[in-house]
Amino acid sequence: MAAQDGEELFDILDDGGRPLGVRKARRLVHRDGDWHRSVHVWVLLERGPDGLEPDSRQSAAEPWVLFQQRSPDKDTWPGALEVAVSGHYRAGEDLAGALREAEEEIGLPLSPRDVVRLGTRRSQDDHARGIVDRELQDVLLATTRRALEELRPDPHEVTALLSLPLGAALRLVRGEVPRASGLVRRPPDAAGAVKVEPRDVRLDEFVVARDGYFERALDTIRRRLAGEVPAPWLLG
């Protein structure tokens, strides 16, 4: 499977998110800058890494946030770190269908009952030559008891998986620290063994989000874990 299928059909929306009754191939949608729907799933790992000393500023029970490193063959943001799961709605697809991306990308089956809505984001991105990517993103949260090494990323779409303590991730995206320390899961070696090793990351290794998206999502996750029930937000 390639990193993306340029002929995959999307439903086209107007700038308010209303369907126009038109379907177009992905490559044409990105060429023409049409609005379309996508899904972002933030994933919390309830099981922290075994044998790793927690940061002095975090609780030992603090959950870890999962990120993916995009394939170098992606048409947008190749090789960058981003939300654990991100993908498009295919034409005619509902949320249950779009959540297939979680199993396809990182090997985590999800249904609508496994996620909660954090908000909606209107994203416009023209950083890549010849591509204008306008997405209405459903931003969701899932929690899993699976450990980092138990996930199964698709090597055609995901180069590696990174986990960061929630507090460290939030400090990083706020610009309070120059780097954060986490763990990275590499693809299996020739013998099928999975290696998980420490890794420090900088904010400039992530997909650029000038609208404060990462901070908004991570802070909403923090508030939910503190017992609050924040209303879903609209960003952009």
Side-chain angles (χ1 to χ4, degrees):
M1 182 186 296
Q4 62 270 313
D5 177 4
E7 300 305 316
E8 185 177 26
L9 292 177
F10 297 160
D11 290 317
I12 305 306
L13 314 174
D14 66 14
D15 57 8
R18 292 173 290 272
L20 296 177
V22 176
R23 295 179 173 184
K24 289 176 67 172
R26 174 194 180 112
R27 61 181 178 81
L28 300 179
V29 169
H30 283 172
R31 182 197 68 184
D32 299 339
D34 297 307
W35 285 97
H36 54 289
R37 292 184 72 195
S38 68
V39 61
H40 279 201
V41 184
W42 291 77
V43 176
L44 285 181
L45 303 178
E46 289 185 331
R47 292 172 56 191
D50 295 333
L52 191 72
E53 290 297 323
D55 186 291
S56 60
R57 291 166 293 187
Q58 75 180 71
S59 163
E62 183 179 23
W64 288 52
V65 184
L66 186 69
F67 298 89
Q68 67 160 269
Q69 182 178 9
R70 293 169 64 83
S71 163
D73 298 321
K74 286 287 190 179
D75 55 357
T76 59
W77 298 107
L81 293 166
E82 71 155 342
V83 179
V85 177
S86 67
H88 296 88
Y89 284 78
R90 292 172 179 161
E93 207 166 39
D94 60 8
L95 177 59
L99 286 173
R100 64 180 160 72
E101 293 280 0
E103 186 165 13
E104 289 177 3
E105 290 189 355
I106 66 171
L108 180 65
L110 293 175
S111 71
R113 66 178 177 272
D114 298 319
V115 298
V116 295
R117 180 174 294 276
L118 301 181
T120 302
R121 181 192 187 207
R122 286 168 48 89
S123 174
Q124 302 190 57
D125 183 0
D126 62 357
H127 82 281
R129 173 180 257 180
I131 293 178
V132 180
D133 191 10
R134 292 192 173 103
E135 296 183 357
L136 192 67
Q137 299 169 349
D138 291 325
V139 184
L140 311 171
L141 172 65
T143 302
T144 180
R145 293 285 299 166
R146 296 191 185 197
L148 180 61
E149 59 270 22
E150 294 173 345
L151 298 171
R152 292 293 178 265
D154 178 356
H156 297 289
E157 296 198 61
V158 179
T159 298
L161 293 175
L162 170 78
S163 64
L164 294 175
L166 176 58
L170 194 49
R171 289 189 292 273
L172 180 67
V173 301
R174 285 174 171 168
E176 297 173 359
V177 292
R179 62 184 57 83
S181 298
L183 292 173
V184 64
R185 179 202 185 279
R186 302 291 184 189
D189 61 21
V194 173
K195 178 180 287 188
V196 174
E197 56 192 19
R199 181 180 170 190
D200 286 354
V201 293
R202 306 179 311 275
L203 187 56
D204 63 8
E205 296 179 70
F206 288 76
V207 169
V208 173
R210 296 186 178 88
D211 57 0
Y213 168 53
F214 287 137
E215 181 177 355
R216 173 68 69 90
L218 288 168
D219 188 60
T220 304
I221 295 169
R222 177 195 63 78
R223 292 171 59 196
R224 291 189 64 88
L225 292 174
E228 298 182 40
V229 186
W233 36 260
L234 174 62
L235 183 63

